[in-house]
Amino acid sequence: MDIKEVNEKFRHSEPEEILEWAIKIFPYQAAMTSSFQASGIVLIHMIKRITFDFPIFFIDTGFHFPETLEFKNRITKEWNLNVHTIIPMMSKRKLEQKHGRFLYEKDPDFCCLVNKVTPLRNLKKEIGVRNWISAIRKDQAETRKNFMPLMRDNERNLRIHPLVNWTGQKVWAYIREHNLPCNPLYDQGYTSIGCFPSCCTSKNEHENGERAGRWSGRSKLECGLHTDLTAEKTKEAL
Ligand code: SF4
């Protein structure tokens, strides 16, 4: 497949067009990762209208807000979704014994590596699926502004981003139009929802960019799941 050509074709495409293409071209060879945020819910709703039983993987870092877990469980049941939960290899007790308490404060990059990035990387190898759909968008952060509909990661997996051309406004308009449920934390002032420690996720009352409440006051901008997808590396990988 010529990724450049496909990206050119999807340069201004709507999410459904990219999704339909991916589901058709990779039957039973694609999956989605989601933390059940607003963009994820939109994407899951779109997938549900195209196919059923599509595999969705949720990384349970052990630090999610109870509201997130409750929402994920509720929507899984109500929408009859095929959701699989991934957990870190190392238990929280072992992690604490080895690295002390509050690793997310002391070394958030390492905490994300152990609790998010490595479990997903291991799963990908284990199940052998090479095509991964996620709900990331260019307008979410400076770090994502060059993202394309299709990219490759360091392990040569294909990353598919159907919502890449959409804005946050479009996501919320879709949610309103289809009356979709959302994580209740959005009503409390969160605009991007990750793990509960306040150093990882805080309210973003100034609407200073959707992800401004993530690792606020630190130089960290990403958990690491998408950091090997820079445009430069993608160009190299093409
Ligand atoms: S977001 Fe925070 S708590 Fe969650 S894995 Fe990363 S550093 Fe750890």
Side-chain angles (χ1 to χ4, degrees):
M1 183 201 328
D2 186 335
I3 295 184
K4 259 188 191 166
E5 215 171 83
V6 182
N7 274 333
E8 195 51 43
K9 177 178 152 188
F10 290 142
R11 181 186 282 263
H12 303 295
S13 292
E14 290 297 310
E16 289 95 335
E17 196 189 337
I18 303 173
L19 264 181
E20 273 171 26
W21 171 86
I23 289 169
K24 194 173 154 199
I25 204 158
F26 303 118
Y28 306 108
Q29 296 166 45
M32 176 182 178
T33 51
S34 182
S35 54
F36 291 82
Q37 295 190 62
S39 295
I41 283 301
V42 165
L43 203 50
I44 292 169
H45 185 255
M46 288 174 175
I47 291 175
K48 229 166 58 74
R49 297 171 98 186
I50 299 170
T51 186
F52 64 94
D53 234 18
F54 194 80
I56 301 166
F57 290 88
F58 170 79
I59 308 171
D60 189 348
T61 58
F63 296 111
H64 279 293
F65 287 91
E67 289 90 340
T68 300
L69 297 173
E70 194 278 327
F71 177 67
K72 186 261 302 180
N73 291 339
R74 179 163 69 84
I75 204 78
T76 299
K77 204 169 166 195
E78 285 177 9
W79 286 7
N80 197 20
L81 301 175
N82 179 13
V83 175
H84 305 262
T85 298
I86 312 168
I87 55 167
M89 299 278 284
M90 202 185 287
S91 70
K92 288 289 152 301
R93 183 140 49 125
K94 236 180 171 174
L95 195 69
E96 250 185 56
Q97 280 169 354
K98 217 168 162 192
H99 302 284
R101 297 184 72 195
F102 310 120
L103 185 61
Y104 44 77
E105 273 177 6
K106 289 186 292 191
D107 192 346
D109 281 340
F110 185 65
C111 186
C112 280
L113 182 72
V114 174
N115 292 306
K116 279 187 180 180
V117 179
T118 307
L120 184 61
R121 194 181 287 153
N122 289 345
L123 174 99
K124 284 178 180 175
K125 281 187 192 143
E126 196 182 310
I127 66 173
V129 173
R130 305 299 305 268
N131 310 294
W132 290 87
I133 297 175
S134 69
I136 56 181
R137 311 187 321 268
K138 282 182 195 176
D139 78 329
Q140 282 172 319
E142 190 65 15
T143 42
R144 301 181 179 188
K145 69 177 185 193
N146 293 323
F147 275 28
M148 293 177 272
L150 262 57
M151 295 174 91
R152 285 211 192 273
D153 62 23
N154 283 347
E155 272 113 28
R156 302 283 303 161
N157 294 304
L158 189 66
R159 304 283 191 97
I160 303 155
H161 308 140
L163 289 174
V164 75
N165 298 324
W166 264 26
T167 59
Q169 285 95 321
K170 277 197 168 183
V171 165
W172 286 103
Y174 185 98
I175 286 171
R176 280 192 297 275
E177 186 190 340
H178 297 277
N179 199 22
L180 303 185
C182 272
N183 189 326
L185 293 172
Y186 286 108
D187 292 334
Q188 295 179 29
Y190 293 91
T191 55
S192 175
I193 302 160
C195 295
F196 70 74
S198 56
C199 53
C200 300
T201 306
S202 55
K203 293 179 186 180
N204 181 21
E205 277 143 5
H206 306 293
E207 299 203 354
N208 181 21
E210 185 176 308
R211 288 175 62 82
R214 302 293 288 276
W215 306 286
S216 177
R218 291 180 180 253
S219 57
K220 183 173 170 63
L221 299 170
E222 295 277 351
C223 62
L225 292 175
H226 309 294
T227 43
D228 58 348
L229 290 180
T230 62
E232 211 169 87
K233 280 188 180 157
T234 298
K235 254 190 241 155
E236 283 168 22
L238 291 178

